[in-house]
């Protein structure tokens, strides 16, 4: 054992140990800020779990938005292969967020009630990054912007995202540029409104799926979009069941109906034609 330790030490002699004038791992990641941001208001042991799970989810959402923004820009340039790569990464990130609910579900109702009052009216319903994800996917609701009026800079950021074309908007324009007929009312639609199903878009996607060799990149893009919606709905379902498991049907801290609200949003669709054509193919 001693000989093995000596060999290991000898083989790793080039490991840096003097960081007097060099940046460390912790400094690069700003771990002092990240790891000092878990401030329990109640002092209850399980509040740490609650805070960390939600902070980690927000970090993952930050990366999702980064990748979606990049994908939108790539699609606008008809660089569909790069867009597919970024959207594939989004799907992998989504699996991580879904698994986070399994960790939070280890907290019992009795444990949560010990510190729930400390949250006041703060709620995940107010997550501005989640709203930006919804906006990027084409689900637009102007009334939620009121939540962020307290912070003018943040409100402006949300408003920009609200007024920007979403992932599906640019995908539909890519269909049009590929020579597939799309109604002008869709191409020129008000992107601050939630997307509504359209026959010309359904027919265009049907053509893509029936001619995959000719429209391979659009076909692959479509499947990446389906992946993202599929995983998002699974995330929503795990969210709903975790909330039901911990607080039942109590009202949410932010004033929503809680589980009832979470069940209703399970019926929302972002890319309706991509699901509709599966019955027709």
């Amino acid at each position: 054992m001693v000989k093995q330790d000596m060999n290991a030490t000898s083989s790793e002699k080039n490991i840096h140990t003097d960081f007097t004038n060099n940046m460390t791992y912790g400094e690069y990641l700003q771990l002092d800020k990240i790891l000092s941001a878990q401030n329990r208001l109640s002092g209850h042991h399980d509040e740490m779990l609650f805070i960390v799970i939600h902070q980690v989810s927000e970090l993952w959402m930050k990366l999702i938005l980064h990748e979606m923004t990049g994908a939108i820009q790539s699609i606008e340039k008809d660089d569909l292969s790069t867009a597919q790569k970024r959207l594939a990464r989004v799907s992998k990130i989504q699996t991580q967020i879904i698994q986070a609910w399994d960790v939070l579900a280890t907290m019992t109702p009795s444990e949560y009630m010990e510190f729930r009052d400390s949250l006041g009216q703060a709620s995940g319903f107010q997550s501005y990054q989640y709203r930006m994800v919804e906006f990027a996917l084409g689900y637009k609701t102007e009334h939620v912007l009121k939540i962020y009026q307290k912070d003018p800079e943040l409100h402006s950021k949300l408003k920009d995202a609200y007024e920007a074309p979403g992932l599906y908007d640019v995908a539909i324009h890519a269909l049009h540029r590929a020579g597939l007929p799309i109604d002008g009312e869709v191409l020129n639609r008000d992107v601050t409104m939630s997307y509504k199903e359209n026959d010309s878009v359904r027919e265009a996607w049907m053509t893509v799926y029936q001619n995959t060799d000719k429209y391979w990149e659009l076909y692959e893009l479509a499947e990446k979009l389906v992946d993202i919606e599929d995983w998002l709905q699974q995330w929503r379902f795990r969210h709903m069941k975790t909330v039901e498991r911990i607080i039942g049907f109590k009202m949410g801290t932010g004033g929503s109906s809680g589980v009832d609200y979470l069940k209703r949003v399970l019926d929302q669709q972002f890319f309706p034609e991509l699901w509709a054509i599966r019955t027709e193919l």
Side-chain angles (χ1 to χ4, degrees):
M1 180 64 71
V2 173
K3 184 176 181 180
Q4 288 177 345
D5 288 343
M6 290 176 63
N7 289 338
T9 301
S10 176
S11 65
E12 302 297 345
K13 61 183 179 181
N14 292 322
I15 289 179
H16 296 288
T17 58
D18 183 1
F19 289 92
T20 305
N21 298 310
N22 294 299
M23 178 176 63
T24 66
Y25 169 83
E27 289 169 339
Y28 173 67
L29 295 177
Q30 298 188 59
L31 292 181
D32 56 335
K33 295 180 182 179
I34 294 174
L35 299 180
S36 62
Q38 295 73 44
N39 300 311
R40 291 177 292 166
L41 298 181
S42 68
H44 191 276
H45 177 85
D46 288 342
E47 189 180 358
M48 180 65 75
L49 165 65
F50 188 84
I51 292 171
V52 168
I53 288 294
H54 287 83
Q55 287 181 340
V56 167
S57 295
E58 290 291 337
L59 284 171
W60 280 130
M61 279 191 279
K62 182 172 184 175
L63 186 53
I64 285 174
L65 287 167
H66 177 70
E67 298 297 340
M68 278 189 176
T69 299
I72 288 171
Q73 292 169 348
S74 294
I75 295 170
E76 289 176 326
K77 298 173 184 175
D78 286 322
D79 182 3
L80 300 188
S81 60
T82 298
Q84 291 161 18
K85 169 68 175 177
R86 289 169 176 167
L87 295 178
R89 184 175 292 161
V90 169
S91 295
K92 292 297 184 181
I93 298 166
Q94 288 175 296
T95 66
Q96 299 299 308
I97 297 183
I98 291 168
Q99 290 175 355
W101 292 121
D102 295 336
V103 182
L104 188 60
T106 63
M107 184 168 59
T108 68
S110 298
E111 290 164 344
Y112 181 52
M113 294 312 296
E114 288 289 331
F115 66 86
R116 188 178 191 237
D117 288 345
S118 299
L119 274 63
Q121 295 179 330
S123 165
F125 185 81
Q126 299 147 17
S127 168
Y128 78 86
Q129 291 198 125
Y130 179 72
R131 296 303 171 190
M132 290 180 72
V133 169
E134 286 189 328
F135 291 170
L137 294 175
Y139 181 69
K140 305 290 183 74
T141 47
E142 186 178 16
H143 71 274
V144 302
L145 295 176
K146 295 178 182 178
I147 297 172
Y148 312 100
Q149 288 178 337
K150 178 180 178 180
D151 185 336
E153 184 177 346
L154 179 56
H155 184 268
S156 177
K157 184 176 182 179
L158 266 291
K159 193 169 184 295
D160 287 344
Y162 173 75
E163 295 175 348
L167 190 56
Y168 203 42
D169 290 309
V170 297
I172 290 170
H173 277 264
L175 289 172
H176 175 65
R177 289 193 299 274
L180 295 161
I182 303 293
D183 289 345
E185 64 186 49
V186 177
L187 296 173
N188 300 306
R189 79 180 195 89
D190 180 357
V191 296
T192 66
M193 304 293 291
S194 290
Y195 178 79
K196 301 296 183 183
E197 192 170 355
N198 177 269
D199 286 343
S200 70
V201 175
R202 180 177 54 79
E203 289 298 326
W205 284 124
M206 181 67 78
T207 300
V208 168
Y209 273 75
Q210 290 174 334
N211 300 273
T212 56
D213 289 344
K214 181 177 180 180
Y215 299 107
W216 180 257
E217 286 198 321
L218 286 168
Y219 170 65
E220 284 283 279
L221 174 62
E223 285 298 291
K224 293 296 184 293
L225 294 176
V226 171
D227 284 343
I228 286 172
E229 181 164 343
D230 189 351
W231 283 115
L232 183 70
Q233 294 296 59
Q234 291 188 52
W235 179 89
R236 283 175 161 178
F237 179 79
R238 288 298 300 129
H239 184 189
M240 181 270 292
K241 293 306 292 184
T242 302
V243 171
E244 183 178 3
R245 175 173 176 157
I246 296 175
I247 69 168
F249 285 81
K250 293 184 181 72
M251 181 179 289
T253 51
S256 74
S257 57
V259 170
D260 286 335
Y261 168 79
L262 296 173
K263 284 185 175 181
R264 286 198 303 274
V265 300
L266 285 172
D267 293 329
Q268 291 174 356
Q269 278 195 321
F270 298 104
F271 317 129
E273 294 87 357
L274 291 176
W275 295 97
I277 62 173
R278 280 158 161 73
T279 304
E280 302 174 39
L281 283 168

